[in-house]
Amino acid sequence: MKKSLGSLLLGKWDTPTVVAVAIGAALFGVLMNYGSITVFTNTRLTTAMLVPVIVGGLFGALPAAVACFFGNVFADLLGGWGYWFDWSTGNAVLGFLVGMLPVYGANIKEGKFDVKHAVIFAVIAVLANMVAFGVVTPIMTVLLYGGELTITFMQSFAASLSNITVLILAGIPLLYALAKRYAKGTNLSRE
Amino acid sequence: MKDKFLINIVPGDTFLHKLSGSTKVRLFVVLLVFITMSFDLRLILPVFVLTLIGVISAKPNWKQVKVIMSVVIFFNLLNIFLFYVANPTVGEYWCNQLTIIGQLNNYFVFPVETFWYLFVRLIKMLTNFMVSLWFITTITPSEFAAGLYSLGVPYKVCTVVSLGFRYIPDIARDYENIKISMQLRGVEMDAKRTKISERLKQMVLILVPLIITSFDRVQTIANGMDLRGYGRNKKRTYYCEHESTNADKIFQFLTLLLFIFSIGYIMGVNIWPPQTNMWCPIDWR
């Protein structure tokens, strides 16, 4: 069953996807607040970054982006450090890029995730952070809040470094574990 | 930690609680735009006072509010301090001048403008917090979704918001339970006694069960929703959305005025000419 690139990117918005995105966003909000270590002002080494990995792996890129965006808004709502929609947008872009797992053939639900996928995932994780926090967030910062780029760039640098650390050191083992878990139940083939 | 969540599921009975979801969501969005658009204390301070009155009138659970408030104030002060350490002369960018009244060494100088900027920033952050506190204490997740839907957001996205909102307390409770059971098995979680690399490893220990329990629920919830016919029609109505009362109409009118003012301000001040400085009350030179 071959799916088109577009449907892999957009995801299928049926009820399980809606629920998974909602739970992913809630998880992102909770982990951003409690599952993280502050490394720089408003920037944390956060395990919330694993949410787009899972939602992307299971449901596609756009659901991961939506989960990240609302997850960041929830985190801002709970954390009380103010609303930073430049960062929410950056996170949405990051979620979209990181969540592209099914596009290059890593199908977690069927237990497909090997070394090749892990390497592509690592490269994309690095590139995605550079695009999301090196380009998108500063542009949004200028548009929405006017200037203040020194601190934004310092924050982006710290955020990218900590995100890449979390994505590679924790994301890849997690993907392996999930793929293994799903592989157990799927030696049936569709007829 | 579980005491820190203020999300209510049951509608309250004060004036602000009784406003309809769409009124509250509109007011919230416009207030956010209003707060985000400027660093002008003259605009921020009135919102701070009004939202403070709003929060008091909503009679929240003060014990919870006190805990979350002290955390917020602590983190904002810490942030302000880090902002100062990152760039002690940031005030020059905002006020186009620098009046140094003392210095520790060549890097850590004490310019009045930086302190003014950091003070306004602190007030802005606290106002942001008051706006969200007012919103969170008076709205229920379904009212939030109904309000977003009335703004034209697709209802599947509204469901993401209300469902996500609904599950935050559950996930936080699971997090706490898993953390306690890990501690029971002898995993040291105290921030003072463990290194960062160790803590990252322990976070993964909490995370794997948390992710599995959270995502295991997905299919159950989705089945429940499918059985009730979710997603069959293109449109949706909300049970909690009542007809506009007089108070709703007055608030929506005021929100509209504020919205027009904000658009005008963004057009006139933020976009052209590009805003490079903020309102400083005194010329220190």
Side-chain angles (χ1 to χ4, degrees):
Chain A
M1 215 168 52
K2 187 93 177 155
K3 284 186 199 161
S4 70
L5 182 68
S7 76
L8 283 176
L9 283 177
L10 290 179
K12 202 171 80 193
W13 281 86
D14 53 2
T15 318
T17 315
V18 172
V19 178
V21 170
I23 289 197
L27 199 58
F28 193 100
V30 170
L31 289 178
M32 196 82 161
N33 278 288
Y34 305 107
S36 50
I37 307 164
T38 306
V39 286
F40 186 64
T41 167
N42 277 357
T43 312
R44 287 127 178 271
L45 189 64
T46 176
T47 44
M49 272 306 132
L50 294 174
V51 170
V53 177
I54 302 154
V55 177
L58 297 178
F59 297 96
L62 188 68
V66 175
C68 270
F69 182 83
F70 281 111
N72 199 328
V73 175
F74 284 157
D76 288 353
L77 210 62
L78 295 171
W81 44 66
Y83 296 88
W84 300 101
F85 287 105
D86 45 346
W87 288 89
S88 299
T89 319
N91 268 319
V93 172
L94 180 67
F96 190 82
L97 293 173
V98 167
M100 289 205 310
L101 285 156
V103 176
Y104 50 85
N107 199 333
I108 304 301
K109 267 188 182 157
E110 286 165 20
K112 257 192 256 165
F113 189 78
D114 51 31
V115 181
K116 187 186 81 187
H117 298 139
V119 171
I120 302 177
F121 175 78
V123 173
I124 287 191
V126 174
L127 288 180
N129 271 291
M130 279 155 71
V131 172
F133 297 135
V135 181
V136 177
T137 302
I139 289 175
M140 293 298 285
T141 309
V142 172
L143 284 181
L144 290 175
Y145 305 100
E148 220 187 329
L149 277 182
T150 331
I151 287 163
T152 301
F153 272 120
M154 283 162 92
Q155 284 179 329
S156 320
F157 189 66
S160 301
L161 274 189
S162 55
N163 285 345
I164 292 170
T165 315
V166 170
L167 282 172
I168 292 179
L169 289 188
I172 291 176
L174 185 76
L175 282 171
Y176 268 115
L178 277 178
K180 211 169 145 193
R181 201 173 123 84
Y182 275 101
K184 276 182 198 157
T186 57
N187 56 6
L188 299 174
S189 59
R190 186 184 283 254
E191 285 181 12
Chain B
M1 188 177 89
K2 55 184 177 290
D3 293 330
K4 275 205 235 161
F5 290 103
L6 299 156
I7 297 165
N8 31 15
I9 311 290
V10 185
D13 55 0
T14 70
F15 175 72
L16 282 175
H17 281 106
K18 279 184 179 162
L19 292 175
S20 76
S22 55
T23 312
K24 280 185 273 195
V25 170
R26 271 172 207 174
L27 185 57
F28 177 64
V29 170
V30 171
L31 280 178
L32 276 190
V33 173
F34 187 82
I35 288 298
T36 305
M37 72 185 181
S38 79
F39 268 94
D40 195 330
L41 195 64
R42 292 168 299 183
L43 295 178
I44 295 171
L45 212 53
V47 178
F48 182 73
V49 174
L50 287 176
T51 46
L52 187 64
I53 294 170
V55 170
I56 293 170
S57 83
K59 298 190 185 116
N61 182 345
W62 284 110
K63 217 172 125 193
Q64 290 182 341
V65 174
K66 265 182 205 156
V67 174
I68 194 167
M69 209 110 127
S70 50
V71 172
V72 164
I73 289 173
F74 171 75
F75 272 107
N76 275 313
L77 286 176
L78 183 72
N79 266 332
I80 290 294
F81 175 71
L82 285 174
F83 260 92
Y84 174 75
V85 171
N87 184 2
T89 57
V90 68
E92 188 176 14
Y93 176 85
W94 290 96
C95 301
N96 289 328
Q97 59 176 341
L98 212 57
T99 318
I100 292 166
I101 50 168
Q103 60 186 57
L104 202 63
N105 54 34
N106 280 338
Y107 184 72
F108 288 109
V109 291
F110 305 135
V112 189
E113 284 83 1
T114 301
F115 291 137
W116 172 250
Y117 164 69
L118 293 178
F119 170 70
V120 174
R121 194 184 168 86
L122 183 67
I123 297 293
K124 182 168 158 149
M125 292 298 105
L126 290 181
T127 312
N128 241 325
F129 172 64
M130 291 320 284
V131 170
S132 66
L133 189 64
W134 152 81
F135 186 66
I136 282 195
T137 48
T138 59
I139 203 154
T140 61
S142 10
E143 277 178 342
F144 194 177
L148 280 179
Y149 184 65
S150 78
L151 289 177
V153 178
Y155 75 82
K156 291 203 167 166
V157 177
C158 300
T159 311
V160 168
V161 174
S162 66
L163 206 59
F165 229 105
R166 161 68 185 79
Y167 273 94
I168 286 173
D170 281 34
I171 289 175
R173 192 194 53 212
D174 284 350
Y175 178 89
E176 195 75 351
N177 287 347
I178 294 168
K179 191 175 151 190
I180 290 170
S181 44
M182 284 295 169
Q183 280 171 328
L184 204 65
R185 290 171 205 170
V187 178
E188 179 63 75
M189 300 274 180
D190 195 334
K192 285 172 202 152
R193 287 188 217 163
T194 41
K195 287 179 291 184
I196 280 195
S197 57
E198 280 290 298
R199 279 175 73 195
L200 192 65
K201 217 192 271 172
Q202 288 160 1
M203 262 186 226
V204 175
L205 275 184
I206 299 182
L207 207 65
V208 172
L210 184 65
I211 285 169
I212 290 173
T213 49
S214 305
F215 283 92
D216 268 355
R217 257 191 298 229
V218 168
Q219 202 55 48
T220 321
I221 300 167
N223 285 345
M225 283 161 71
D226 276 335
L227 281 173
R228 286 162 182 78
Y230 177 82
R232 285 187 61 190
N233 297 330
K234 289 245 182 295
K235 280 188 183 169
R236 188 178 171 79
T237 51
Y238 284 87
Y239 186 68
C240 62
E241 189 71 357
H242 55 76
E243 280 180 16
S244 301
T245 58
N246 281 339
D248 276 320
K249 281 172 192 155
I250 294 168
F251 263 74
Q252 291 198 352
F253 181 67
L254 292 177
T255 308
L256 188 69
L257 288 185
L258 198 61
F259 182 65
I260 293 169
F261 174 77
S262 306
I263 294 293
Y265 187 92
I266 291 171
M267 291 292 194
V269 182
N270 285 14
I271 293 181
W272 193 261
Q275 180 196 34
T276 52
N277 51 10
M278 62 196 276
W279 176 67
C280 301
I282 318 157
D283 195 354
W284 279 288
R285 265 182 303 193

